[in-house]
Coordinates of all heavy atoms in Angstrom, one line a residue:
M1 N -10.0 -33.9 22.3 CA -9.7 -32.8 21.5 C -10.9 -31.9 21.4 O -12.0 -32.3 21.2 CB -9.3 -33.3 20.1 CG -8.9 -32.2 19.2 SD -8.4 -32.8 17.6 CE -6.7 -33.2 17.9
A2 N -10.7 -30.6 21.5 CA -11.8 -29.6 21.5 C -12.3 -29.5 20.0 O -11.5 -29.5 19.1 CB -11.3 -28.3 22.0
R3 N -13.5 -29.3 19.9 CA -14.1 -29.1 18.6 C -14.1 -27.7 18.2 O -14.4 -26.8 19.0 CB -15.6 -29.6 18.7 CG -15.9 -30.6 17.7 CD -17.3 -31.0 17.8 NE -17.9 -31.0 16.5 CZ -19.1 -31.3 16.2 NH1 -19.9 -31.6 17.2 NH2 -19.5 -31.3 15.0
R4 N -13.7 -27.4 17.0 CA -13.6 -26.0 16.5 C -14.9 -25.7 15.7 O -15.4 -26.5 15.0 CB -12.4 -25.8 15.6 CG -11.1 -25.9 16.3 CD -10.0 -25.5 15.5 NE -8.8 -25.6 16.2 CZ -7.7 -25.0 15.8 NH1 -7.6 -24.3 14.7 NH2 -6.6 -25.2 16.5
T5 N -15.4 -24.5 15.9 CA -16.6 -24.1 15.2 C -16.1 -23.1 14.1 O -15.1 -22.4 14.3 CB -17.6 -23.5 16.1 OG1 -17.0 -22.3 16.7 CG2 -18.1 -24.4 17.1
K6 N -16.8 -23.1 13.0 CA -16.4 -22.2 12.0 C -16.8 -20.7 12.4 O -17.9 -20.5 12.8 CB -17.2 -22.5 10.7 CG -16.8 -21.7 9.5 CD -17.4 -22.3 8.2 CE -17.0 -21.5 7.0 NZ -17.6 -22.0 5.8
R7 N -15.8 -19.8 12.3 CA -16.0 -18.4 12.7 C -16.6 -17.7 11.5 O -16.1 -17.8 10.4 CB -14.7 -17.8 13.1 CG -14.7 -16.4 13.4 CD -15.4 -16.0 14.7 NE -15.1 -14.7 15.1 CZ -15.9 -13.7 14.9 NH1 -17.0 -13.8 14.2 NH2 -15.6 -12.5 15.4
L8 N -17.7 -17.0 11.7 CA -18.3 -16.2 10.6 C -17.9 -14.7 10.9 O -18.2 -14.1 11.9 CB -19.8 -16.3 10.6 CG -20.3 -17.7 10.3 CD1 -21.8 -17.8 10.4 CD2 -19.8 -18.2 9.0
W9 N -17.2 -14.1 10.0 CA -16.7 -12.7 10.1 C -17.6 -11.8 9.3 O -18.0 -12.1 8.2 CB -15.3 -12.6 9.5 CG -14.3 -13.5 10.2 CD1 -13.9 -14.7 9.8 CD2 -13.5 -13.2 11.3 NE1 -13.0 -15.2 10.6 CE2 -12.7 -14.3 11.6 CE3 -13.5 -12.1 12.2 CZ2 -11.8 -14.3 12.7 CZ3 -12.6 -12.1 13.3 CH2 -11.8 -13.2 13.5
T10 N -18.0 -10.7 9.9 CA -18.8 -9.7 9.2 C -18.0 -9.0 8.2 O -16.7 -9.0 8.3 CB -19.5 -8.7 10.2 OG1 -18.4 -8.0 10.8 CG2 -20.3 -9.4 11.2
D11 N -18.6 -8.3 7.3 CA -17.8 -7.5 6.3 C -17.0 -6.4 7.0 O -15.9 -6.2 6.6 CB -18.8 -6.9 5.2 CG -19.4 -8.0 4.3 OD1 -18.9 -9.1 4.3 OD2 -20.3 -7.6 3.5
E12 N -17.6 -5.8 8.0 CA -16.9 -4.7 8.7 C -15.7 -5.3 9.4 O -14.6 -4.6 9.5 CB -17.8 -4.0 9.6 CG -17.3 -2.7 10.2 CD -16.9 -1.8 9.0 OE1 -17.7 -1.7 8.0 OE2 -15.9 -1.1 9.2
E13 N -15.8 -6.5 10.0 CA -14.6 -7.1 10.7 C -13.5 -7.4 9.7 O -12.4 -7.2 10.0 CB -15.1 -8.4 11.4 CG -15.9 -8.1 12.7 CD -16.4 -9.4 13.3 OE1 -16.8 -10.3 12.5 OE2 -16.5 -9.5 14.5
K14 N -13.9 -7.9 8.5 CA -13.0 -8.2 7.5 C -12.2 -7.0 7.0 O -11.0 -7.0 6.9 CB -13.6 -8.9 6.3 CG -14.2 -10.3 6.6 CD -14.9 -10.8 5.4 CE -15.6 -12.2 5.7 NZ -16.3 -12.7 4.5
R15 N -13.0 -5.9 6.8 CA -12.3 -4.6 6.4 C -11.4 -4.1 7.5 O -10.3 -3.7 7.2 CB -13.4 -3.6 6.1 CG -14.0 -3.7 4.8 CD -15.0 -2.6 4.5 NE -16.0 -3.0 3.6 CZ -17.2 -3.4 3.9 NH1 -17.6 -3.4 5.2 NH2 -18.1 -3.8 3.0
S16 N -11.8 -4.2 8.7 CA -10.9 -3.8 9.9 C -9.7 -4.6 9.9 O -8.6 -4.1 10.1 CB -11.7 -3.9 11.2 OG -10.9 -3.6 12.2
I17 N -9.8 -5.9 9.8 CA -8.6 -6.8 9.9 C -7.7 -6.5 8.7 O -6.4 -6.4 8.9 CB -9.0 -8.3 9.9 CG1 -9.7 -8.5 11.3 CG2 -7.8 -9.2 9.7 CD1 -10.4 -9.9 11.4
C18 N -8.2 -6.3 7.5 CA -7.4 -6.1 6.3 C -6.7 -4.7 6.5 O -5.5 -4.5 6.0 CB -8.2 -6.1 5.1 SG -8.8 -7.8 4.6
L19 N -7.4 -3.7 7.0 CA -6.8 -2.4 7.2 C -5.6 -2.5 8.2 O -4.6 -1.8 8.0 CB -7.8 -1.4 7.7 CG -7.4 0.0 7.9 CD1 -7.0 0.6 6.6 CD2 -8.5 0.8 8.5
Q20 N -5.6 -3.4 9.2 CA -4.5 -3.5 10.1 C -3.3 -4.0 9.5 O -2.2 -3.7 10.0 CB -4.9 -4.4 11.3 CG -6.0 -3.9 12.2 CD -6.5 -4.9 13.2 OE1 -5.6 -5.6 13.7 NE2 -7.7 -4.9 13.5
T21 N -3.4 -4.7 8.4 CA -2.2 -5.2 7.7 C -1.4 -4.1 7.0 O -0.3 -4.3 6.5 CB -2.6 -6.3 6.7 OG1 -3.4 -5.7 5.6 CG2 -3.3 -7.5 7.3
T22 N -2.0 -2.9 6.8 CA -1.3 -1.8 6.1 C -0.4 -1.0 6.9 O 0.3 -0.2 6.4 CB -2.4 -0.9 5.4 OG1 -3.2 -0.3 6.4 CG2 -3.2 -1.7 4.4
A23 N -0.5 -1.2 8.2 CA 0.4 -0.4 9.1 C 1.8 -0.8 8.9 O 2.2 -1.9 8.7 CB 0.0 -0.7 10.6
P24 N 2.7 0.2 9.0 CA 4.1 0.0 8.7 C 4.7 -1.0 9.8 O 4.4 -0.8 11.0 CB 4.8 1.3 8.9 CG 3.7 2.3 8.8 CD 2.4 1.6 9.2
G25 N 5.5 -2.0 9.4 CA 6.1 -2.9 10.3 C 5.2 -4.0 10.8 O 5.7 -4.8 11.6
V26 N 4.0 -4.1 10.3 CA 3.1 -5.1 10.8 C 2.9 -6.2 9.7 O 2.7 -5.9 8.6 CB 1.7 -4.6 11.2 CG1 0.7 -5.6 11.5 CG2 1.8 -3.6 12.3
S27 N 3.1 -7.4 10.1 CA 3.0 -8.5 9.1 C 1.6 -9.1 9.1 O 0.9 -9.0 10.1 CB 4.0 -9.6 9.3 OG 3.7 -10.3 10.5
V28 N 1.2 -9.7 8.0 CA -0.1 -10.4 8.0 C -0.2 -11.5 9.0 O -1.2 -11.7 9.6 CB -0.4 -10.9 6.5 CG1 -1.7 -11.7 6.5 CG2 -0.5 -9.7 5.6
A29 N 0.9 -12.2 9.2 CA 1.0 -13.3 10.1 C 0.7 -12.8 11.5 O 0.0 -13.5 12.3 CB 2.3 -14.0 10.0
R30 N 1.2 -11.7 11.9 CA 1.0 -11.1 13.2 C -0.4 -10.8 13.4 O -1.0 -11.0 14.5 CB 1.9 -9.9 13.4 CG 1.8 -9.3 14.8 CD 2.7 -8.1 15.0 NE 4.0 -8.6 15.1 CZ 5.1 -7.9 15.0 NH1 5.0 -6.6 14.9 NH2 6.3 -8.4 15.1
V31 N -1.1 -10.2 12.4 CA -2.5 -9.8 12.5 C -3.3 -11.1 12.7 O -4.2 -11.2 13.4 CB -3.0 -9.0 11.3 CG1 -4.5 -8.8 11.4 CG2 -2.2 -7.6 11.3
A32 N -2.9 -12.1 11.9 CA -3.7 -13.4 11.9 C -3.6 -14.1 13.3 O -4.6 -14.6 13.8 CB -3.1 -14.4 10.9
R33 N -2.4 -14.0 13.9 CA -2.2 -14.6 15.3 C -3.1 -13.8 16.3 O -3.6 -14.4 17.2 CB -0.8 -14.5 15.7 CG 0.1 -15.6 15.1 CD 1.4 -15.8 15.7 NE 2.2 -14.5 15.6 CZ 3.1 -14.3 14.6 NH1 3.3 -15.2 13.7 NH2 3.8 -13.2 14.6
R34 N -3.2 -12.5 16.1 CA -4.0 -11.7 17.0 C -5.5 -12.2 17.0 O -6.1 -12.1 18.1 CB -3.9 -10.2 16.6 CG -4.6 -9.3 17.5 CD -4.4 -7.8 17.0 NE -3.0 -7.5 16.8 CZ -2.6 -6.6 15.9 NH1 -3.5 -6.0 15.1 NH2 -1.3 -6.4 15.7
Y35 N -5.9 -12.6 15.9 CA -7.3 -13.1 15.8 C -7.5 -14.6 15.8 O -8.6 -15.1 15.5 CB -8.0 -12.5 14.5 CG -8.2 -11.0 14.7 CD1 -7.3 -10.1 14.2 CD2 -9.3 -10.5 15.3 CE1 -7.4 -8.7 14.3 CE2 -9.5 -9.1 15.4 CZ -8.5 -8.3 14.9 OH -8.7 -6.9 15.1
A36 N -6.4 -15.3 16.0 CA -6.4 -16.8 16.1 C -6.9 -17.3 14.8 O -7.9 -18.2 14.7 CB -7.2 -17.3 17.3
M37 N -6.4 -16.9 13.7 CA -6.8 -17.3 12.4 C -5.6 -17.6 11.5 O -4.5 -17.3 11.8 CB -7.8 -16.3 11.7 CG -7.1 -15.0 11.5 SD -8.2 -13.6 11.0 CE -9.0 -14.3 9.6
N38 N -5.8 -18.2 10.3 CA -4.8 -18.5 9.4 C -4.5 -17.3 8.5 O -5.4 -16.6 8.0 CB -5.2 -19.7 8.5 CG -4.1 -20.2 7.7 OD1 -3.3 -19.5 7.1 ND2 -3.9 -21.5 7.8
A39 N -3.2 -17.0 8.3 CA -2.9 -15.8 7.5 C -3.4 -15.9 6.0 O -3.7 -14.9 5.4 CB -1.4 -15.6 7.5
N40 N -3.5 -17.1 5.5 CA -4.0 -17.3 4.2 C -5.4 -16.8 4.0 O -5.8 -16.3 2.9 CB -4.0 -18.8 3.8 CG -2.6 -19.3 3.6 OD1 -1.7 -18.5 3.2 ND2 -2.3 -20.5 3.9
L41 N -6.2 -16.8 5.0 CA -7.6 -16.3 5.0 C -7.5 -14.7 4.8 O -8.3 -14.2 4.0 CB -8.4 -16.6 6.2 CG -9.8 -16.2 6.2 CD1 -10.6 -16.7 5.0 CD2 -10.5 -16.6 7.5
I42 N -6.6 -14.1 5.5 CA -6.4 -12.6 5.3 C -6.0 -12.3 3.9 O -6.4 -11.4 3.3 CB -5.5 -12.1 6.4 CG1 -6.1 -12.3 7.8 CG2 -5.2 -10.6 6.1 CD1 -5.2 -11.8 8.9
F43 N -5.0 -13.1 3.4 CA -4.5 -12.9 2.0 C -5.7 -13.0 1.0 O -5.8 -12.3 0.0 CB -3.4 -13.8 1.7 CG -2.1 -13.4 2.3 CD1 -1.4 -14.2 3.2 CD2 -1.5 -12.2 1.9 CE1 -0.2 -13.9 3.7 CE2 -0.3 -11.8 2.4 CZ 0.4 -12.7 3.3
K44 N -6.6 -13.9 1.3 CA -7.7 -14.1 0.4 C -8.6 -12.9 0.5 O -9.1 -12.4 -0.5 CB -8.5 -15.4 0.8 CG -9.7 -15.7 0.0 CD -10.4 -16.9 0.5 CE -11.7 -17.2 -0.3 NZ -12.4 -18.3 0.1
W45 N -8.9 -12.4 1.7 CA -9.7 -11.2 1.8 C -9.0 -10.0 1.1 O -9.7 -9.1 0.5 CB -9.9 -10.8 3.3 CG -10.8 -11.8 4.0 CD1 -11.6 -12.8 3.5 CD2 -10.9 -11.9 5.5 NE1 -12.2 -13.5 4.5 CE2 -11.8 -13.0 5.7 CE3 -10.3 -11.3 6.5 CZ2 -12.1 -13.4 7.0 CZ3 -10.6 -11.6 7.8 CH2 -11.5 -12.7 8.0
L46 N -7.7 -9.9 1.2 CA -7.0 -8.7 0.6 C -7.1 -8.7 -0.9 O -7.0 -7.7 -1.5 CB -5.5 -8.8 1.0 CG -5.2 -8.4 2.5 CD1 -3.8 -8.7 2.8 CD2 -5.6 -6.9 2.7
R47 N -7.3 -9.9 -1.5 CA -7.5 -10.0 -3.0 C -8.9 -9.6 -3.4 O -9.2 -9.2 -4.5 CB -7.2 -11.4 -3.5 CG -5.8 -11.7 -3.5 CD -5.5 -13.0 -4.2 NE -6.2 -14.2 -3.7 CZ -5.8 -15.0 -2.8 NH1 -4.6 -14.8 -2.3 NH2 -6.5 -16.0 -2.3
D48 N -9.8 -9.6 -2.4 CA -11.2 -9.2 -2.7 C -11.4 -7.7 -2.6 O -11.1 -7.1 -1.6 CB -12.1 -9.9 -1.7 CG -13.6 -9.8 -2.0 OD1 -14.0 -8.8 -2.7 OD2 -14.4 -10.6 -1.6
P49 N -11.8 -7.0 -3.7 CA -11.9 -5.5 -3.6 C -12.9 -5.0 -2.6 O -12.8 -3.8 -2.2 CB -12.3 -5.2 -5.0 CG -12.8 -6.4 -5.7 CD -12.2 -7.6 -4.9
R50 N -13.8 -5.8 -2.1 CA -14.7 -5.4 -1.1 C -14.0 -5.1 0.3 O -14.5 -4.3 1.1 CB -15.9 -6.4 -0.9 CG -16.8 -6.5 -2.1 CD -17.8 -7.6 -1.8 NE -17.1 -8.9 -1.7 CZ -17.7 -10.0 -1.4 NH1 -19.0 -10.0 -1.1 NH2 -17.0 -11.1 -1.3
Y51 N -13.0 -5.9 0.5 CA -12.3 -5.8 1.8 C -10.9 -5.2 1.8 O -10.4 -4.8 2.8 CB -12.2 -7.2 2.4 CG -13.5 -8.0 2.4 CD1 -13.6 -9.2 1.8 CD2 -14.7 -7.4 3.0 CE1 -14.8 -9.9 1.7 CE2 -15.9 -8.1 2.9 CZ -15.9 -9.4 2.3 OH -17.1 -10.0 2.2
A52 N -10.3 -5.1 0.6 CA -9.0 -4.6 0.6 C -9.0 -3.1 0.9 O -9.8 -2.4 0.4 CB -8.4 -4.9 -0.8
P53 N -8.0 -2.7 1.7 CA -8.0 -1.2 2.0 C -7.5 -0.4 0.7 O -6.9 -1.0 -0.2 CB -6.9 -1.1 3.1 CG -6.1 -2.4 3.0 CD -7.0 -3.4 2.4
E54 N -7.9 0.8 0.7 CA -7.6 1.7 -0.4 C -6.1 1.9 -0.4 O -5.5 2.1 0.6 CB -8.3 3.0 -0.3 CG -9.8 3.0 -0.4 CD -10.2 2.6 -1.8 OE1 -9.6 3.0 -2.8 OE2 -11.2 1.8 -1.9
P55 N -5.5 1.8 -1.6 CA -4.0 2.1 -1.6 C -3.7 3.5 -1.2 O -4.5 4.4 -1.6 CB -3.6 1.8 -3.1 CG -4.9 1.9 -3.8 CD -6.0 1.6 -2.9
P56 N -2.6 3.8 -0.5 CA -2.3 5.2 -0.1 C -2.0 6.0 -1.4 O -1.4 5.5 -2.3 CB -1.1 5.0 0.8 CG -0.5 3.7 0.4 CD -1.6 2.8 -0.1
A57 N -2.4 7.3 -1.3 CA -2.2 8.2 -2.4 C -0.7 8.5 -2.5 O -0.1 8.7 -1.5 CB -3.0 9.4 -2.2
E58 N -0.2 8.6 -3.7 CA 1.2 8.9 -3.8 C 1.4 10.4 -3.6 O 0.6 11.2 -4.1 CB 1.7 8.6 -5.3 CG 1.7 7.1 -5.6 CD 2.3 6.8 -6.9 OE1 3.0 7.7 -7.4 OE2 2.0 5.8 -7.5
P59 N 2.3 10.8 -2.7 CA 2.5 12.2 -2.4 C 2.7 13.0 -3.6 O 2.0 13.9 -3.9 CB 3.7 12.2 -1.5 CG 4.3 10.9 -1.5 CD 3.3 9.9 -2.1
D60 N 3.8 12.8 -4.3 CA 4.1 13.5 -5.6 C 4.7 12.5 -6.5 O 5.8 12.0 -6.2 CB 5.0 14.7 -5.4 CG 4.3 15.8 -4.7 OD1 3.1 16.0 -4.9 OD2 5.0 16.5 -3.9
A61 N 4.1 12.2 -7.6 CA 4.6 11.3 -8.6 C 5.9 11.9 -9.2 O 5.9 13.1 -9.5 CB 3.6 10.9 -9.6
A62 N 6.8 11.1 -9.5 CA 8.0 11.6 -10.2 C 7.7 11.9 -11.6 O 6.8 11.3 -12.2 CB 9.1 10.5 -10.1
C63 N 8.3 13.0 -12.1 CA 8.1 13.4 -13.5 C 9.4 13.8 -14.1 O 10.4 14.1 -13.4 CB 7.0 14.5 -13.5 SG 7.6 16.0 -12.7
F64 N 9.4 13.9 -15.4 CA 10.6 14.3 -16.1 C 10.4 15.8 -16.4 O 9.4 16.3 -16.7 CB 10.7 13.5 -17.5 CG 11.1 12.1 -17.3 CD1 10.2 11.1 -17.3 CD2 12.4 11.8 -17.0 CE1 10.5 9.8 -17.1 CE2 12.8 10.4 -16.8 CZ 11.8 9.5 -16.8
L65 N 11.6 16.5 -16.4 CA 11.6 17.9 -16.7 C 12.4 18.1 -18.0 O 13.4 17.4 -18.2 CB 12.2 18.7 -15.5 CG 11.5 18.6 -14.2 CD1 12.3 19.3 -13.1 CD2 10.1 19.2 -14.3
P66 N 12.0 19.1 -18.8 CA 12.8 19.4 -20.0 C 14.1 20.0 -19.6 O 14.3 20.8 -18.7 CB 11.9 20.4 -20.8 CG 11.1 21.0 -19.7 CD 10.9 20.0 -18.7
V67 N 15.1 19.6 -20.4 CA 16.5 20.1 -20.2 C 17.0 20.6 -21.5 O 16.8 19.9 -22.5 CB 17.4 18.9 -19.6 CG1 18.9 19.4 -19.5 CG2 16.9 18.4 -18.3
E68 N 17.7 21.7 -21.5 CA 18.3 22.3 -22.7 C 19.8 22.3 -22.5 O 20.2 22.9 -21.5 CB 17.7 23.7 -22.9 CG 18.2 24.3 -24.2 CD 17.6 25.7 -24.5 OE1 16.6 26.0 -23.9 OE2 18.2 26.4 -25.3
I69 N 20.5 21.7 -23.4 CA 22.0 21.7 -23.3 C 22.5 22.8 -24.3 O 22.2 22.7 -25.4 CB 22.6 20.3 -23.6 CG1 22.0 19.3 -22.6 CG2 24.1 20.3 -23.6 CD1 22.3 17.9 -22.9
V70 N 23.3 23.7 -23.7 CA 23.9 24.7 -24.6 C 25.4 24.6 -24.6 O 26.0 24.1 -23.6 CB 23.5 26.1 -24.1 CG1 22.0 26.3 -24.3 CG2 23.9 26.4 -22.7
D71 N 26.1 25.1 -25.6 CA 27.5 25.1 -25.7 C 28.2 26.1 -24.8 O 29.2 25.8 -24.2 CB 28.0 25.3 -27.2 CG 27.6 24.2 -28.1 OD1 27.4 23.0 -27.5 OD2 27.5 24.4 -29.3
Q72 N 27.6 27.2 -24.7 CA 28.2 28.3 -23.9 C 27.2 28.7 -22.7 O 26.0 28.7 -22.9 CB 28.5 29.5 -24.7 CG 29.5 29.2 -25.8 CD 29.7 30.5 -26.7 OE1 28.9 31.4 -26.6 NE2 30.8 30.4 -27.5
P73 N 27.8 29.0 -21.6 CA 26.9 29.5 -20.5 C 26.3 30.8 -20.8 O 26.9 31.6 -21.5 CB 27.8 29.6 -19.3 CG 29.2 29.6 -19.8 CD 29.2 29.0 -21.2
M74 N 25.1 31.1 -20.3 CA 24.4 32.3 -20.6 C 24.6 33.3 -19.4 O 24.7 32.9 -18.3 CB 22.9 32.0 -20.8 CG 22.5 31.1 -21.9 SD 22.9 31.7 -23.5 CE 21.5 32.7 -23.8
H75 N 24.6 34.6 -19.7 CA 24.6 35.6 -18.7 C 23.2 35.9 -18.3 O 22.3 35.4 -18.9 CB 25.3 36.9 -19.3 CG 26.8 36.8 -19.4 ND1 27.6 36.9 -18.4 CD2 27.5 36.7 -20.5 CE1 28.9 36.8 -18.8 NE2 28.8 36.6 -20.1
D76 N 23.1 36.7 -17.3 CA 21.8 37.1 -16.7 C 21.0 37.8 -17.8 O 19.7 37.8 -17.8 CB 21.9 37.9 -15.5 CG 22.4 37.1 -14.3 OD1 22.2 35.8 -14.4 OD2 22.9 37.7 -13.3
D77 N 21.6 38.6 -18.7 CA 20.9 39.4 -19.7 C 20.5 38.6 -20.9 O 19.9 39.1 -21.8 CB 21.7 40.6 -20.1 CG 23.1 40.2 -20.7 OD1 23.3 39.0 -20.8 OD2 23.8 41.2 -21.0
G78 N 20.8 37.3 -20.9 CA 20.4 36.4 -22.0 C 21.4 36.3 -23.1 O 21.2 35.5 -24.1
K79 N 22.6 37.0 -23.1 CA 23.6 36.9 -24.1 C 24.6 35.8 -23.7 O 24.9 35.6 -22.6 CB 24.3 38.2 -24.2 CG 23.4 39.3 -24.7 CD 24.2 40.6 -24.9 CE 23.3 41.7 -25.3 NZ 24.0 43.0 -25.3
A80 N 25.1 35.2 -24.7 CA 26.1 34.1 -24.5 C 27.4 34.7 -24.0 O 27.8 35.8 -24.4 CB 26.4 33.3 -25.7
A81 N 28.1 34.0 -23.1 CA 29.4 34.5 -22.5 C 30.4 34.5 -23.6 O 30.5 33.5 -24.4 CB 29.8 33.7 -21.3
A82 N 31.3 35.4 -23.6 CA 32.4 35.4 -24.5 C 33.5 34.4 -24.1 O 33.7 34.1 -23.0 CB 33.0 36.8 -24.6
D83 N 34.1 33.8 -25.1 CA 35.2 32.8 -24.8 C 36.4 33.6 -24.3 O 36.8 34.6 -24.8 CB 35.6 32.1 -26.1 CG 34.6 31.1 -26.5 OD1 33.7 30.8 -25.8 OD2 34.7 30.6 -27.7
P84 N 37.0 33.1 -23.2 CA 38.1 33.8 -22.6 C 39.4 33.6 -23.4 O 39.6 32.9 -24.2 CB 38.3 33.1 -21.3 CG 37.4 32.0 -21.2 CD 36.6 32.0 -22.4

């Protein structure tokens, strides 16, 4: 049986590997197989703020707008419409 040696990853390598997990459609397991490592190690790195990639900025956060409910529709000149 071949002897395994412990792989020492640099901080930059860890950041690069963690960043690869953020691509759409890529699983952590797939990235782990690419580097012949266990996915649990990548999950451990992702919990560490030094290696976790920055969360993507939200394009436009949803917000509430004020709504005014009136009994009668308004005309363009600001007067209430007459009842027919």
Side-chain angles (χ1 to χ4, degrees):
M1 180 180 277
R3 238 178 130 178
R4 292 189 182 197
T5 59
K6 186 173 181 178
R7 172 74 164 97
L8 298 177
W9 301 93
T10 65
D11 289 350
E12 194 56 41
E13 287 173 323
K14 292 176 184 179
R15 282 187 206 95
S16 173
I17 291 170
C18 289
L19 184 63
Q20 292 176 38
T21 63
T22 62
V26 176
S27 68
V28 173
R30 181 176 289 169
V31 174
R33 281 192 300 268
R34 187 179 305 148
Y35 291 95
M37 62 190 304
N38 192 310
N40 290 328
L41 182 57
I42 296 177
F43 283 118
K44 181 179 177 182
W45 293 344
L46 287 170
R47 287 191 303 269
D48 191 333
R50 294 177 295 175
Y51 310 123
E54 294 293 322
E58 292 185 24
D60 287 326
C63 63
F64 291 100
L65 299 175
V67 175
E68 183 179 341
I69 300 173
V70 295
D71 291 336
Q72 298 178 345
M74 301 293 279
H75 285 285
D76 289 339
D77 59 1
K79 295 181 184 175
D83 287 348

